[in-house]
C-alpha cells in the first residue's frame, strides 16, 4: 500500500525462491500454485500492517481509505500473472475501487520515486536491467517513453546467472552471489581479459550471450581463481552498461539517469554510474525496491493516472494480461 505514489504504508513479499533453488530454475506451474496459496494471506497481512501504520482499528477502515487498486499485467509468467489479475479484479468489484493495470517493467522504474527526495525530473534516461530485460529508454514524462535500445540476446541479469552457474557459485539467480565473490578479489585487479560487447557501436544496444562463452574459454585457458574471473566478468558487464547509459544521457541532454530492475542492486553498477555521470544526477532505487515489489506497481499506477480523477476509472471485470 502506497500513499501519494512515494510513501510506502505497508508491503508484504512472498517468495518461492527456495523452491526454485531446489529445481535450479523456476517451474512456472509451481510458482503459480504457490501464488494461489499465498495471495489471500498476503493481501490480508498487507491490510493488517496498513491498519497498524495508519493507526486505524480494522482492515475495513483501511479499505475505506483506498483510492484505487493496481495490478501487474505483464510481462511475466502467465500463470502467476493470472492469479494476481484475477485476485485484483475480484477485490476491485467487491470493494468498488478503480483497477489500474501496470506494466511490470514500468513498475520497476518507479522504485526511483519511492522515498526519493527530490523526485526525478524529465527527460530521463532509464536503464532497465533485470533477469529478462536490458533496455535503455528515454522517459520524457510519466507515460511517455521512447525506446532507445536493448539486448539482442541475453539480459544482463541472465548473463550474471549463467556465469554464476558456470563458475559453480550458484545454480539459481546467482547475480548477487557472483558480485559478492567478485568483491573477494583482493587487489581488485581487472586485467580486461574479457570482451566489452558492442561498447564502441554507435547504438544503444547490448549483447551479453558471447560473454559467457568468453568466460568459459578464459577458465579453460588460464588457471585463475574463481573470484578473479567473477571480478573480470562483473567489470565487463558494468563497463558496457555504464558507458552506454551515460552516452545516451549526454546525447539526449537529460536531467537525470534512472536505474531499474534486479541488476540495479549491483554495488559496482550503482557506484560506477554515480561516479562517471559527472553532473548528471543518478537515481538508484533503495535496495529493497530493486527486486520485485508491489509498492512500485502502486507508485507507477499513481503517477500514470494522476491527471485523471480516480472516480472516472471503473472497476474492470474483463481486464486481461499483456500479450
Ligand atoms: O528484476 P528482477 O528481480 O526479476 C526479473 O527478472 O523481473 O531481476 C532479477 C535478476 C536476476 O538475474 C539476478 O541474478 C539479478 O537480477 N541480480 C543481480 C544482483 N541482484 C540481483 N545481478 C547482479 N548483481 C546483483 N547484486
Ligand atoms: Zn522484475
Amino acid at each position: 500500500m502506497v500513499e501519494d505514489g512515494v510513501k510506502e504504508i505497508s508491503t508484504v513479499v512472498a517468495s518461492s525462491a527456495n523452491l526454485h533453488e531446489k529445481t535450479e530454475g523456476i517451474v512456472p506451474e509451481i510458482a503459480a500454485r504457490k501464488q494461489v496459496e499465498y495471495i489471500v494471506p498476503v493481501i490480508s497481512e498487507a491490510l493488517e500492517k496498513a491498519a497498524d501504520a495508519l493507526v486505524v482499528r480494522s482492515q475495513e477502515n483501511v479499505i475505506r481509505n483506498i483510492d484505487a487498486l493496481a495490478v501487474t499485467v505483464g510481462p511475466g509468467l502467465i500463470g502467476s500473472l493470472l492469479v494476481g489479475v484475477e485476485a485484483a479484479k475480484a477485490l476491485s468489484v467487491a470493494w468498488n475501487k478503480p483497477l489500474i493495470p501496470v506494466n511490470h517493467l514500468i513498475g520497476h522504474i518507479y522504485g526511483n520515486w519511492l522515498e526519493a527526495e527530490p523526485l526525478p525530473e524529465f527527460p530521463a534516461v532509464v536503464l532497465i536491467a533485470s533477469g529478462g530485460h536490458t533496455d535503455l529508454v528515454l522517459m520524457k514524462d510519466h507515460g511517455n517513453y521512447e525506446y532507445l535500445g536493448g539486448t539482442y540476446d541475453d539480459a544482463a541479469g541472465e548473463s550474471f546467472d549463467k556465469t554464476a552457474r558456470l563458475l559453480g557459485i550458484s545454480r539459481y539467480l546467482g547475480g548477487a552471489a557472483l558480485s559478492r565473490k567478485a568483491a573477494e578479489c583482493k587487489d581488485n585487479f581487472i586485467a580486461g581479459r574479457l570482451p566489452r560487447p558492442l561498447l564502441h557501436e554507435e547504438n544503444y544496444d547490448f549483447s551479453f550471450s558471447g560473454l559467457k562463452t568468453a568466460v568459459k574459454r578464459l577458465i579453460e585457458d588460464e588457471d585463475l581463481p574463481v573470484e578473479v574471473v567473477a571480478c573480470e566478468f562483473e567489470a565487463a558487464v558494468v563497463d558496457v552498461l555504464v558507458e552506454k547509459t551515460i552516452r545516451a544521457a549526454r546525447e539526449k541532454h537529460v536531467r537525470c539517469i534512472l536505474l531499474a530492475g534486479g541488476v540495479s542492486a549491483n554495488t559496482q553498477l550503482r557506484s560506477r554510474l554515480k561516479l562517471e555521470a559527472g553532473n548528471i544526477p543518478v537515481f538508484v532505487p533503495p535496495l529493497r525496491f530493486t527486486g520485485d515489489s508491489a509498492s512500485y506497481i502502486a507508485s507507477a499506477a499513481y503517477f500514470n493516472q494522476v491527471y485523471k480523477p480516480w472516480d472516472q476509472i471503473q472497476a474492470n471485470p474483463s481486464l486481461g494480461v499483456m500479450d
Side-chain angles (χ1 to χ4, degrees):
M1 195 170 181
V2 166
E3 191 173 78
D4 298 337
V6 293
K7 186 172 177 233
E8 184 181 74
I9 305 290
S10 78
T11 191
V12 178
V13 177
S15 167
S16 47
N18 56 342
L19 294 173
H20 305 318
E21 249 160 48
K22 282 186 204 146
T23 46
E24 297 181 9
I26 294 180
V27 178
E29 180 157 336
I30 293 180
R33 282 169 188 265
K34 281 288 150 196
Q35 211 136 359
V36 168
E37 226 173 277
Y38 278 93
I39 190 125
V40 173
V42 161
I43 292 168
S44 185
E45 193 183 331
L47 288 171
E48 207 56 53
K49 281 187 168 177
D52 287 346
L54 298 170
V55 204
V56 296
R57 237 175 280 130
S58 66
Q59 292 194 11
E60 283 69 34
N61 286 334
V62 175
I63 294 164
R64 221 167 287 137
N65 275 307
I66 293 174
D67 293 314
L69 303 171
V71 66
T72 308
V73 289
L77 295 175
I78 187 70
S80 304
L81 291 171
L82 287 174
V83 176
V85 168
E86 288 306 303
K89 275 156 59 172
L91 291 180
S92 143
V93 173
W95 296 346
N96 191 26
K97 307 279 183 192
L99 177 58
I100 298 156
V102 175
N103 174 302
H104 175 68
L105 295 172
I106 305 253
H108 267 295
I109 300 174
Y110 281 86
N112 288 293
W113 266 261
L114 288 163
E115 294 169 12
E117 180 60 41
L119 295 179
E121 288 181 27
F122 300 118
V125 151
V126 191
L127 172 66
I128 305 172
S130 73
H133 293 261
T134 300
D135 297 313
L136 271 173
V137 173
L138 179 64
M139 188 173 181
K140 298 171 184 168
D141 200 344
H142 297 295
N144 186 349
Y145 303 92
E146 182 188 327
Y147 177 80
L148 298 177
T151 184
Y152 294 146
D153 38 59
D154 288 357
E158 185 181 0
S159 82
F160 264 94
D161 296 339
K162 287 178 175 169
T163 304
R165 181 184 276 249
L166 196 66
L167 296 178
I169 294 170
S170 165
R171 303 201 62 78
Y172 171 66
L173 289 190
L178 188 151
S179 187
R180 279 195 300 277
K181 182 55 82 179
E184 285 173 23
C185 194
K186 288 283 177 298
D187 45 8
N188 213 15
F189 177 67
I190 298 157
R193 293 176 171 97
L194 294 170
R196 269 64 176 159
L198 305 188
L199 185 63
H200 301 296
E201 301 279 320
E202 291 278 309
N203 58 28
Y204 302 121
D205 294 325
F206 303 99
S207 168
F208 293 111
S209 69
L211 255 183
K212 63 178 184 293
T213 318
V215 169
K216 212 175 202 172
R217 221 173 299 126
L218 182 61
I219 310 169
E220 284 162 7
D221 292 352
E222 293 186 49
D223 189 20
L224 294 167
V226 173
E227 63 270 21
V228 172
V229 182
C231 204
E232 290 280 358
F233 168 79
E234 185 175 51
V237 175
V238 170
D239 271 357
V240 180
L241 291 177
V242 168
E243 186 157 334
K244 287 215 150 174
T245 304
I246 291 176
R247 199 189 299 160
R250 297 234 159 87
E251 286 172 5
K252 300 292 174 187
H253 308 288
V254 297
R255 299 181 76 173
C256 66
I257 293 171
L258 309 176
L259 196 53
V263 183
S264 69
N266 185 276
T267 312
Q268 288 295 323
L269 179 60
R270 292 163 82 97
S271 57
R272 286 270 311 279
L273 249 189
K274 284 184 178 170
L275 198 70
E276 291 174 33
N279 56 1
I280 308 171
V282 175
F283 287 76
V284 295
L287 276 179
R288 64 202 182 93
F289 298 131
T290 56
D292 291 339
S293 155
S295 292
Y296 56 59
I297 300 300
S299 175
Y302 175 86
F303 283 106
N304 287 280
Q305 295 292 340
V306 81
Y307 303 115
K308 203 169 178 184
W310 296 119
D311 56 10
Q312 285 180 22
I313 312 160
Q314 306 302 320
N316 181 0
S318 49
L319 179 67
V321 296
M322 278 176 65
D323 291 332

